[in-house]
């Protein structure tokens, strides 16, 4: 208990009782919380060590080994061989490029559109809750399920081709054309990520003090200047968070690829995660799959650090 | 205000309505795929291929029964429900109590331990995927394995194997600590002086105040376990351990896709999550943004 509360509660006399640890029996209750703290933390710590950090270390070992679970022998240490062969593996290079392109072409759209929607819905009006709910539904429904819906939308007689037909344009094979497949998957991801980005940016907008806008208006700032000098700087922490989270999730694209295109046509939608999956569970190459996973890890970390640096710099 | 009043009333009214109209149109566009999903699920099979109508001509429930039979959704539903219930249960206890301890019962090194634990949330799934698979395969004394984990298939293709990565969500530890850190410590001090045990202080004093937190953790672990695809794909090889997300993709992998049944199955699989979402919107939306602000 804080000493000043005793003083308030019991008047001046209570404060004269010396606070703090005394020798003897009163030392035990002071140590007790720490003991129980360790006890309470124990199950979670055990789980994380065994099933989160353990696998990371195990994966690191595997990435320096050659190992097929079908073989009788255990992992064979091969040093940097897995990483070296990734360097001149054209498939892996292309998967990295596909992943990078996927992140870079989904990110600007989903963030910019979400920002516009957040700005538009920042003012309260009747039905705002309904609007936010509607926008959030794609985020809640599983990626598997929405990919199934979009599988139909992109199918030969699906929604996109129907709309094109209405305008007299010819049908396209969206998921089986090399040039279109990744863009089709990207469009779906823009749609899927919009709602959660919007809600986060809306929360960010609401943390900006209103008097800043007032002050800017008094200084004669127009709408654009208010956006540029009040909204954008105030939103920067949340914007950075949204961009970093989007990068982390997009760079791990797998489910939508698995459902929509199975990595095809001709590897044009094979992301690194998809390649890792095939390498490990179709070709049983656990070692090189692990090496790929760590390269992807580094790739994601580098992208997010760039995003966070970019968000921190250029203070105006 | 005066400038607003001096504007012509028509323009003013137009300005007031632009926002809601634009946003309604956007919401309709965003919901469009779901509207089509519902429509197709009630459209007889033959008509879904040859360009469907938004309002089915002869609505039918046939697709739903086809979906249940073809994809073995019954078994998948049972498995997914079991996995999700256990996941929600463990996540409402283990990370929450750890988060409480990190906030209110500090011990030497607890800060460092906290950061070590939550830093694992930044590790991509693919890094732990292969090792976790091998760990499940070599799980001691399971699926015919000996004590060293050799010989059998371990937890592969079992419901227990499905559970492995979900039992403790690291972000839930973070969320819980943040939540309890906002609470007054004086209650605990007072209860301690009264001789209450630490477990009693937690369950009787702090836990009742943490209802919104529990709702949030429950909702997040529910969707996390129910919606996951990659881990079940890797660990499950037969009907024994199939999940709803795996079951619906079996429709697409066969050459001739039955879109009506596919959409019916997608509705069945998404309905639990949608219901949980609609009844807990507050914890979903504000919880997410709170976590974001703090993170």
């Amino acid at each position: 208990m804080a000493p000043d509360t005793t003083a308030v509660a019991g008047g001046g006399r209570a404060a004269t009782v010396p606070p703090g640890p005394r020798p003897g029996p009163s030392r035990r209750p002071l140590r007790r919380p720490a003991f129980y703290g360790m006890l309470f933390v124990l199950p979670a710590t055990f789980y994380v060590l065994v099933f989160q950090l353990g696998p990371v270390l195990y994966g690191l070992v595997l990435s320096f080994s050659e190992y097929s679970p079908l073989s009788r022998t255990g992992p064979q240490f091969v040093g940097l061989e897995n990483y070296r062969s990734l360097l001149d593996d054209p498939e892996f290079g292309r998967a990295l490029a596909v992943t990078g392109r996927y992140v870079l072409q989904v990110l600007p759209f989903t963030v910019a559109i979400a920002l516009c929607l957040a700005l538009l819905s920042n003012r309260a009006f009747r039905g705002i809750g309904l609007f936010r709910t509607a926008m959030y539904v794609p985020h809640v429904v599983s990626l598997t399920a929405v990919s199934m819906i979009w599988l139909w939308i992109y199918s030969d007689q699906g929604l996109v081709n129907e709309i094109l037909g209405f305008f007299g344009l010819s049908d396209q094979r969206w998921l089986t054309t090399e040039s279109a497949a990744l863009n089709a998957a990207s469009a779906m991801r823009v749609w899927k990520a919009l709602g959660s980005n919007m809600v986060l940016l809306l929360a960010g907008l609401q943390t900006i003090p209103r008097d800043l806008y007032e002050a800017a208006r008094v200084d004669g700032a127009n709408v654009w200047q208010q956006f540029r000098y009040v909204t954008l700087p105030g939103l920067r922490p949340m914007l950075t968070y949204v961009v970093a989270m989007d990068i982390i999730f997009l760079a791990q694209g797998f489910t939508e690829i698995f459902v929509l295109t199975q990595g095809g046509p001709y590897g044009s939608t094979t992301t690194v995660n998809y390649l890792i999956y095939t390498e490990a569970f179709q070709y049983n190459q656990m070692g090189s799959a692990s090496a790929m996973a760590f390269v992807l890890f580094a790739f994601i970390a580098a992208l997010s650090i760039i995003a966070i640096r970019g968000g921190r710099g250029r203070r105006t | 205000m005066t400038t607003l009043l001096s504007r012509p009333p028509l323009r003013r009214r137009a300005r007031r309505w632009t926002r809601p109209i634009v946003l309604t149109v956007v919401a309709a566009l965003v919901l469009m795929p779901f509207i089509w999903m519902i429509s197709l699920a009630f459209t007889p099979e033959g008509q879904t291929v040859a360009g469907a109508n938004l309002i089915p001509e002869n609505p039918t429930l046939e697709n739903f029964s086809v979906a249940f039979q073809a994809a073995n959704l019954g078994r998948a539903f049972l498995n997914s429900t079991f996995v999700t219930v256990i996941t929600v249960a463990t996540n409402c206890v283990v990370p929450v109590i750890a988060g409480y301890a990190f906030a209110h019962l500090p011990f030497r090194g607890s800060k460092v331990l906290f950061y070590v634990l939550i830093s694992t949330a930044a590790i991509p799934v693919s890094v732990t995927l292969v090792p976790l698979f091998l760990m499940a395969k070599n799980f001691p004394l399971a699926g015919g394995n000996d004590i060293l984990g050799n010989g059998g298939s371990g937890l592969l293709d079992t419901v227990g194997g499905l559970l492995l990565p979900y039992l403790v969500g690291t972000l839930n530890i973070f969320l819980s600590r943040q939540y309890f850190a906002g609470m007054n410590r004086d209650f605990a001090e007072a209860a301690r002086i009264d001789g209450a045990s630490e477990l009693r202080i937690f369950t009787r004093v702090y836990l009742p105040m943490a209802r919104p937190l529990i709702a949030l953790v429950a909702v997040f672990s529910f969707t996390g376990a129910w919606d996951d695809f990659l881990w079940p794909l890797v660990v499950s090889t037969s009907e024994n351990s199939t999940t709803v997300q795996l079951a619906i993709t079996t429709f697409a992998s066969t050459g001739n896709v039955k879109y009506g049944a596919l959409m019916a199955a997608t509705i069945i699989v998404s309905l639990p999550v949608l219901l949980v979402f609609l009844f807990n919107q507050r914890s979903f939306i504000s919880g997410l943004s709170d976590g974001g602000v703090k993170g």
Side-chain angles (χ1 to χ4, degrees):
Chain A
M1 200 187 295
D4 50 341
T5 9
T6 2
V8 172
R13 279 175 106 189
T16 57
V17 178
R22 271 179 298 167
S26 69
R27 268 176 75 181
R28 277 194 63 193
L30 272 179
R31 235 196 264 157
R32 199 184 64 173
F35 170 73
Y36 277 90
M38 285 188 247
L39 201 68
F40 284 4
V41 157
L42 198 65
T45 308
F46 174 79
Y47 178 86
V48 172
L49 287 183
V50 175
F51 294 109
Q52 305 263 353
L53 287 172
V56 176
L57 292 180
Y58 187 13
L60 200 61
V61 172
L62 280 174
S63 76
F64 296 116
S65 325
E66 204 177 301
Y67 179 50
S68 161
L70 298 179
S71 72
R72 287 262 145 220
T73 55
Q76 304 288 311
F77 185 76
V78 291
L80 286 170
E81 185 49 40
N82 287 328
Y83 290 94
R84 200 176 305 138
S85 61
L86 284 187
L87 275 181
D88 37 48
D89 178 3
E91 242 184 310
F92 183 71
R94 186 169 60 177
L96 261 181
V98 166
T99 308
R101 199 184 124 198
Y102 189 53
V103 174
L104 292 179
Q105 71 186 14
V106 173
L107 196 65
F109 284 102
T110 186
V111 172
I113 300 173
L115 180 59
C116 290
L117 292 174
L119 288 169
L120 275 175
S121 58
N122 194 21
R123 205 169 296 166
F125 58 83
R126 200 183 295 176
I128 182 84
L130 224 58
F131 171 70
R132 283 180 202 164
T133 306
M135 294 299 296
Y136 207 66
V137 169
H139 178 72
V140 173
V141 175
S142 75
L143 195 49
T144 328
V146 301
S147 302
M148 302 304 270
I149 302 171
W150 284 72
L151 195 62
W152 172 76
I153 289 178
Y154 286 135
S155 70
D156 289 352
Q157 248 108 30
L159 191 59
V160 181
N161 280 340
E162 289 238 330
I163 292 168
L164 286 184
F166 181 79
F167 290 107
L169 297 162
S170 59
D171 283 6
Q172 293 279 321
R173 297 180 146 263
W174 297 103
L175 297 172
T176 48
T177 311
E178 244 182 295
S179 57
L182 192 67
N183 295 338
S186 305
M188 191 203 85
R189 275 307 283 262
V190 170
W191 167 84
K192 176 109 168 66
L194 223 46
S196 69
N197 281 356
M198 187 199 86
V199 167
L200 285 169
L201 291 173
L202 204 52
L205 283 176
Q206 277 156 8
T207 62
I208 302 172
R210 294 220 145 195
D211 12 329
L212 282 183
Y213 288 101
E214 210 64 54
R217 233 170 286 149
V218 169
D219 289 347
N222 61 28
V223 177
W224 165 247
Q225 285 165 330
Q226 284 175 38
F227 174 75
R228 175 73 187 77
Y229 296 107
V230 180
T231 311
L232 220 46
L235 203 58
R236 187 156 282 156
M238 189 55 99
L239 210 52
T240 310
Y241 176 81
V242 165
V243 168
M245 288 317 253
D246 278 357
I247 289 174
I248 289 169
F249 287 120
L250 288 170
Q252 300 187 59
F254 174 82
T255 304
E256 68 275 35
I257 303 296
F258 184 92
V259 174
L260 290 176
T261 62
Q262 301 264 328
Y266 309 109
S268 61
T269 59
T270 300
T271 56
V272 177
N273 245 3
Y274 194 84
L275 194 66
I276 292 171
Y277 168 76
T278 52
E279 185 80 359
F281 300 105
Q282 281 174 18
Y283 302 113
N284 287 303
Q285 297 296 323
M286 299 299 180
S288 75
S290 292
M292 287 179 186
F294 277 97
V295 175
L296 178 65
F297 193 178
F299 181 74
I300 293 173
L303 278 181
S304 357
I305 287 169
I306 292 170
I308 292 165
R309 279 274 164 82
R312 222 186 273 154
R314 284 187 291 120
R315 279 192 189 281
T316 38
Chain B
M1 231 21 215
T2 41
T3 48
L4 257 175
L5 283 173
S6 58
R7 277 208 188 100
L10 190 71
R11 207 176 140 197
R12 223 172 72 215
R13 224 176 295 156
R15 267 182 72 106
R16 183 145 47 108
W17 283 104
T18 34
R19 255 169 223 263
I21 288 172
V22 168
L23 294 178
T24 309
V25 171
V26 170
L29 281 175
V30 165
L31 289 181
M32 196 53 110
F34 295 109
I35 295 166
W36 274 102
M37 168 181 80
I38 295 165
S39 157
L40 286 174
F42 291 99
T43 304
E45 198 56 65
Q47 295 171 28
T48 55
V49 184
N53 292 324
L54 190 53
I55 295 158
E57 274 168 41
N58 323 298
T60 171
L61 285 171
E62 201 193 315
N63 290 325
F64 287 88
S65 61
V66 171
F68 254 103
Q69 285 155 11
N72 215 323
L73 269 183
R75 182 62 201 257
F77 227 86
L78 220 62
N79 287 339
S80 282
T81 306
F82 180 81
V83 167
T84 308
V85 166
I86 303 281
T87 299
V88 170
T90 53
N91 272 288
C92 285
V93 178
V94 179
V96 172
I97 200 165
Y100 169 77
F102 282 126
H104 286 290
L105 305 170
F107 50 90
R108 193 179 292 179
S110 62
K111 229 176 198 171
V112 176
L113 182 63
F114 173 73
Y115 285 113
V116 169
L117 295 194
I118 62 159
S119 69
T120 59
I123 298 163
V125 196
S126 50
V127 168
T128 51
L129 185 72
V130 168
L132 258 180
F133 170 83
L134 293 173
M135 283 169 77
K137 185 175 185 290
N138 297 321
F139 208 84
L141 301 174
N145 280 354
D146 58 21
I147 191 124
L148 292 172
N150 295 318
S153 58
L155 291 175
L156 295 188
D157 205 28
T158 67
V159 182
L162 287 174
L163 276 168
L164 226 49
Y166 312 138
L167 290 171
V168 176
T170 14
L171 278 177
N172 292 335
I173 303 177
F174 176 67
L175 215 59
S176 305
R177 194 200 72 149
Q178 299 299 86
Y179 195 87
F180 286 114
M183 288 184 185
N184 199 333
R185 282 183 185 212
D186 293 349
F187 301 121
E189 287 296 335
R192 241 166 243 148
I193 285 166
D194 288 346
S197 74
E198 289 300 332
L199 193 66
R200 208 178 152 80
I201 295 172
F202 171 66
T203 53
R204 292 295 161 82
V205 181
Y206 286 96
L207 202 56
M209 292 192 282
R211 275 198 164 170
L213 170 75
I214 300 294
L216 189 63
V217 168
V219 153
F220 280 175
S221 9
F222 173 87
T223 49
W226 186 269
D227 286 353
D228 193 18
F229 180 71
L230 183 52
W231 177 250
L233 179 72
V234 163
V235 90
S236 158
T237 47
S238 77
E239 268 170 26
N240 289 334
S241 61
T242 193
T243 68
V244 286
Q245 308 295 338
L246 287 179
I248 56 172
T249 60
T250 54
F251 277 95
S253 50
T254 55
N256 195 359
V257 184
K258 287 182 175 169
Y259 285 108
L262 173 65
M263 296 301 167
T266 308
I267 290 178
I268 296 169
V269 165
S270 308
L271 214 52
V273 183
L274 277 174
L275 288 178
V276 167
F277 167 61
L278 292 176
F279 285 111
N280 291 283
Q281 264 181 71
R282 234 154 234 237
S283 25
F284 254 100
I285 293 182
S286 67
L288 187 84
S289 40
D290 284 355
V293 174
K294 284 165 186 163

